[in-house]
């Protein structure tokens, strides 16, 4: 069943133009490419690269599209231009901003120009640059430093709103940059560590909408008034995170409500009054990531939404504001969903200090054979939600009970929760794994047959569990994980070191604790077999993290295996590599958990 699950196509909405045409990321070829879907449902392939397309935007007032793509998962985005009016089926990819030594990330396209961020000035800081498509002239709009997580220009182009990463949980300061003078106003001036996720403008450029947990535990939608600098709460919810996007027409505000893994959508007035829900299938999520966030049409009459659930891979919906009609946009080649895909149950598990750890439990239809796999998400300030994960579905089909927790440090459950693992509290999140292990008999799991699985920070959690709790775990699968917080910070990309030190601790003053919390420094305690997957071009967690832990285990005679993919980065993006790596990881778990 696993190959069938891994081969299911997924879609992501990139953009919608004034005629209702969509730009869709689609991985039917095994590597995500950009396609255009006409209002009548006709599909047209726009790229056929050997590498993935990261993002794509229409250039308003033209039939041109700007595309961001990288090489081998290295995340060094390069920008190219497509002219959709040229004859032929596949338009020519014209280089626009290409320098493989640096990262370039597409922000948006305006009539005749493109905005992008780049770290080419000093490797560390990201500048905001406007490129004139007519003359090729590049104008720097912001070069004051930091990692720019979100950038949104005002409709009149007088201002650019910027979220600059800062604070231990990649929290953000919201800055207002005046494009003509470069003058910067700190919109937030936060006294506490605050998360800011999304920006959007009112159509007359008088107000900037900010989704933030400033002064609150939960994220709410605020309006910042440009003229007087005042901030007003528009939409709040004491129990849920809210994210808002103003429509270009100024008539509506789209609000996403995130609660215990599910994301629902509703239209509000721009004063905050709730008007009507947007009906999507129950039990899933509207996607909120920057690359897959909802998009308004230029006239505010349509929305394009990426949606997923545990029982169905990501696909796209069109929503018509006037009628409330929702139309699904699915892959052009039909793919049959395997039978038996499961929805999880939601639980709270008491941890060592009485904190309640949210966890989703996926049970095999047969009830399982007593084995379990705990799948830990990355981040750490990430969130395991009600989305499709072919690996979770595959593990359940194998007969394992699968637990997907949001351990402390996860987003989605309030500011207090995501701050509970900061720096010297790092190992408290590992103690949450022990609490989950202790709870397993309540759901019929044999505690001697439990494995850990995780990617990125989740990979760190796998290694930390095996190193700090060696008596609990029968095996581990580590995908692009961190073995040593010290060597990770020393060797990661320069810009990421600056951002990630705020979460993990600073090399120059927290080294003793970073060493203490590093699984590599407790490798002599690891007894459980380990399976490791890594991309050779990973710019976030270097391959050396995987190599050093596997070498240390081999020296001790502990069973371990390392798979390295030369054309991948921070995780596996290409289907051919997934079809090679993950069946081998599943076979490893079958052997270690006694299912051979």
């Amino acid at each position: 069943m696993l190959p069938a699950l891994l081969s299911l196509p997924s879609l992501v909405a990139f953009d919608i133009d004034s005629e209702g045409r969509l730009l869709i990321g689609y991985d039917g070829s095994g590597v995500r490419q950009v396609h255009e879907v006409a209002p009548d449902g006709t599909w047209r392939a726009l790229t056929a690269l050997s590498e993935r397309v990261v993002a794509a935007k229409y250039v308003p007032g033209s039939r041109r599209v700007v595309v961001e793509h990288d090489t081998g998962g290295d995340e060094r985005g390069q920008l190219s231009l497509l002219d959709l009016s040229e004859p032929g089926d596949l338009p020519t990819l014209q280089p626009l901003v290409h320098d493989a030594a640096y990262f370039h990330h597409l922000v948006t396209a305006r009539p005749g120009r493109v905005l992008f961020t780049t770290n080419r000035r000093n490797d560390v800081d990201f500048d905001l640059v406007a490129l004139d498509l007519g003359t090729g002239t590049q104008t720097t709009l912001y070069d004051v430093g930091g990692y720019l997580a979100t950038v949104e220009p005002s409709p009149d182009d007088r201002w650019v709103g910027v979220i600059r990463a800062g604070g231990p949980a990649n929290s953000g300061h919201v800055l207002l940059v005046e494009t003509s003078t470069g003058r910067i106003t700190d919109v937030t001036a936060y006294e506490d560590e605050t998360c800011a996720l999304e920006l959007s403008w009112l159509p007359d450029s008088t107000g900037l909408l900010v989704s933030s947990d400033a002064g609150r535990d939960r994220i709410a939608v605020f309006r910042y008034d440009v003229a007087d600098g005042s901030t007003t709460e528009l939409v709040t919810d004491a129990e849920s995170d809210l994210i808002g996007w103003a429509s270009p027409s100024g008539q509506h505000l789209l609000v996403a409500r995130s609660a215990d893994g599910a994301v629902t959508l509703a239209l509000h007035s721009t004063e905050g009054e709730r008007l009507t829900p947007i009906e999507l299938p129950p039990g899933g999520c509207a996607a909120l990531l920057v690359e897959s966030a909802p998009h308004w049409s230029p006239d505010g009459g349509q929305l394009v939404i990426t949606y997923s659930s545990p029982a169905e891979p990501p696909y796209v919906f069109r929503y018509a504001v006037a009628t409330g009609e929702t139309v699904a946009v699915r892959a052009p080649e039909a793919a049959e969903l395997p039978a038996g895909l499961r929805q999880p149950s939601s639980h709270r598990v008491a941890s060592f200090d009485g904190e309640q750890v949210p966890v989703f439990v996926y049970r095999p239809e047969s009830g399982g054979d007593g084995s379990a796999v705990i799948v830990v998400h990355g981040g750490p300030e990430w969130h395991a939600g009600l989305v499709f994960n072919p690996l979770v579905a595959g593990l359940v089909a194998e007969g394992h009970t699968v637990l997907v927790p949001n351990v402390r440090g996860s987003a989605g459950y309030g500011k207090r929760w995501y701050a509970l693992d900061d720096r010297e509290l790092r190992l408290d999140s590992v103690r949450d794994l022990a609490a989950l292990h202790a709870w397993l008999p309540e759901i019929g799991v044999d505690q001697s047959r439990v494995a850990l699985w995780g990617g990125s920070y989740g990979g760190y959690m796998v290694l930390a569990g095996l190193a700090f709790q060696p008596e609990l775990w029968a095996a581990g699968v580590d995908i692009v994980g961190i073995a040593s917080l010290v060597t990770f910070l020393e060797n990661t990309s320069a810009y990421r070191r600056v951002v990630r030190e705020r979460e993990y601790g600073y090399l120059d003053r927290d080294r003793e604790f970073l060493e203490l919390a590093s699984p590599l420094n407790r490798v002599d305690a690891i007894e459980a077999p380990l399976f490791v997957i890594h991309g050779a071009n990973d710019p976030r967690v270097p391959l050396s993290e995987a190599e050093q832990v596997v070498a240390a285990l081999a020296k001790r005679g502990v069973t371990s295996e390392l798979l390295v993919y030369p054309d991948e980065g921070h995780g596996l993006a290409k289907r051919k590599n997934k079809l090679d790596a993950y069946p081998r990881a599943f076979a490893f778990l079958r052997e270690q958990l006694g299912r051979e």
Side-chain angles (χ1 to χ4, degrees):
M1 186 174 179
L2 180 61
L5 289 165
L6 294 173
S7 298
L8 289 173
S10 64
L11 279 64
V12 58
F14 284 146
D15 203 5
I16 179 171
D17 75 359
S18 59
E19 303 299 320
R21 292 175 289 233
L22 308 181
L23 292 178
I24 300 288
Y26 168 55
D27 63 357
S29 66
V31 182
R32 187 171 68 190
Q33 302 297 304
V34 63
H35 293 66
E36 184 176 61
V37 180
D40 66 2
T42 304
W43 280 69
R44 178 190 180 189
L46 302 184
T47 59
L49 301 168
S50 60
E51 304 292 347
R52 65 174 180 161
V53 171
V54 178
K57 293 288 183 184
Y58 285 110
V59 178
S62 75
R63 286 292 286 144
R64 294 182 292 179
V65 170
V66 184
V67 175
E68 179 187 336
H69 49 96
D70 66 4
T71 301
D74 63 6
E75 299 183 18
R76 289 177 169 81
Q78 309 299 308
L79 305 186
S80 297
L81 192 65
L82 299 171
D83 185 348
L84 305 192
S85 65
E86 72 176 42
D89 292 334
L90 200 67
T92 304
L93 205 65
Q94 306 166 21
L96 194 61
V97 180
H98 280 213
D99 186 339
Y102 300 106
F103 297 79
H104 314 91
H105 298 316
L106 174 62
V107 172
T108 194
R110 311 290 275 201
R113 65 179 187 149
V114 173
L115 271 65
F116 66 96
T117 61
T118 175
N119 72 334
R120 65 191 177 195
R121 177 165 53 89
N122 61 8
D123 283 336
V124 175
D125 297 305
F126 278 76
D127 299 339
L128 174 63
V129 178
L131 169 64
D132 188 298
L133 291 174
T135 66
T137 302
Q138 297 188 24
T139 303
T140 300
L141 303 180
Y142 171 92
D143 63 356
V144 183
Y147 177 74
L148 306 187
T150 302
V151 178
E152 190 65 33
S154 63
D156 64 4
D157 285 327
R158 181 182 175 187
W159 310 95
V160 178
V162 171
I163 297 178
R164 183 176 65 188
N170 275 343
S171 307
H173 273 240
V174 181
L175 308 176
L176 196 62
V177 182
E178 189 171 25
T179 55
S180 62
T181 65
R183 180 170 62 92
I184 296 175
T185 303
D186 191 335
V187 169
T188 53
Y190 298 144
E191 295 182 1
D192 61 349
E193 294 160 352
T194 296
C195 174
L197 289 180
E198 191 63 56
L199 303 175
S200 67
W201 287 88
L202 298 178
D204 60 3
S205 301
T206 61
L208 178 65
L209 302 190
V210 182
S211 300
S212 159
D213 59 10
R216 308 172 45 82
D217 187 56
R218 291 291 192 162
I219 297 169
V221 183
F222 298 83
R223 170 182 168 150
Y224 173 81
D225 191 279
V226 174
D228 63 15
S230 63
T231 300
T232 306
E233 289 186 349
L234 283 184
V235 193
T236 67
D237 186 331
E239 303 299 323
S240 307
D241 289 333
L242 304 177
I243 302 176
W245 298 266
S247 74
S249 67
Q251 294 182 315
H252 296 100
L253 170 64
L254 174 66
V255 175
R257 179 180 183 269
S258 174
D260 197 27
V263 177
T264 55
L265 301 177
L267 291 182
H268 292 238
S269 73
T270 50
E271 285 73 43
E273 178 188 2
R274 190 175 190 271
L275 302 176
T276 183
I278 294 177
E279 298 297 338
L280 296 173
C285 282
L288 302 182
L289 297 178
V290 171
E291 70 170 19
S292 57
H295 300 283
W296 284 102
S297 64
D299 66 357
Q302 291 189 66
L303 278 162
V304 56
I305 300 157
T306 304
Y307 175 85
S308 175
S309 80
E312 194 162 11
Y315 60 110
V316 170
F317 283 100
R318 289 178 183 267
Y319 175 78
V321 173
T323 65
E325 182 183 18
T326 304
V327 178
V329 179
R330 298 182 183 273
E333 294 87 17
E336 185 176 349
L337 291 173
L341 295 179
R342 312 284 288 174
Q343 289 280 353
S345 55
S346 179
H347 304 264
R348 297 294 186 274
V349 175
S351 194
F352 67 95
D353 54 359
E355 295 286 353
Q356 300 292 308
V357 180
V359 58
F360 299 112
V361 176
Y362 293 79
R363 301 298 301 269
E365 190 171 4
S366 65
D369 67 350
S371 64
V373 181
I374 298 179
V375 177
V376 189
H377 66 73
E381 64 294 324
W382 195 245
H383 178 210
L386 297 178
V387 297
F388 183 72
N389 185 329
L391 300 175
V392 169
L395 289 167
V396 173
E398 290 269 302
H400 307 297
T401 295
V402 178
L403 286 75
V404 182
N406 281 300
V407 297
R408 69 190 67 204
S410 303
Y413 295 88
K415 179 190 299 186
R416 189 191 70 84
W417 187 250
Y418 77 61
L420 283 179
D421 71 336
D422 290 348
R423 296 183 295 277
E424 69 277 0
L425 302 177
R426 176 67 42 212
L427 294 177
D428 285 353
S429 63
V430 183
R431 297 174 75 181
D432 286 344
L433 296 180
L436 292 169
H437 186 274
W439 178 73
L440 289 173
E442 294 191 25
I443 55 172
V445 169
D446 179 350
Q447 289 176 298
S448 69
R449 299 174 58 215
V450 185
L452 295 172
W453 179 300
S456 191
Y457 178 77
Y460 164 82
M461 291 288 283
V462 169
L463 297 175
L466 301 188
F468 289 92
Q469 302 155 350
E471 72 284 359
L472 300 185
W473 312 109
V477 177
D478 158 30
I479 304 168
V480 298
I482 301 167
S484 166
L485 294 172
V486 172
T487 58
F488 157 68
L489 290 171
E490 288 175 337
N491 298 321
T492 189
S493 298
Y495 85 90
R496 287 197 69 82
R497 181 181 312 112
V498 173
V499 173
R500 301 313 292 169
E501 279 188 313
R502 299 184 181 104
E503 165 72 29
Y504 295 119
Y506 293 86
L507 284 168
D508 61 353
R509 60 178 183 265
D510 299 314
R511 182 177 287 265
E512 182 177 356
F513 176 75
L514 292 170
E515 295 279 10
L516 175 69
S518 293
L520 187 65
N521 291 339
R522 289 182 57 90
V523 74
D524 287 349
I526 296 178
E527 299 294 340
L530 180 67
F531 193 93
V532 183
I533 300 169
H534 218 103
N537 306 317
D538 192 337
R540 304 187 186 199
V541 178
L543 174 59
S544 54
E545 291 299 299
E547 292 173 330
Q548 61 187 348
V549 72
V550 170
L553 291 175
K555 188 178 295 185
R556 293 184 49 242
V558 176
T559 300
S560 60
E561 183 175 353
L562 171 61
L563 300 183
V564 178
Y565 292 87
D567 57 346
E568 296 281 12
H570 194 59
L572 302 184
K574 297 175 179 174
R575 186 173 298 143
K576 65 180 179 66
N577 294 332
K578 296 177 183 179
L579 289 171
D580 180 70
Y582 294 135
R584 294 163 70 175
F586 274 42
F588 165 82
L589 287 182
R590 282 197 298 272
E591 179 181 357
Q592 302 305 328
L593 299 183
R595 300 200 68 247
E596 282 290 282

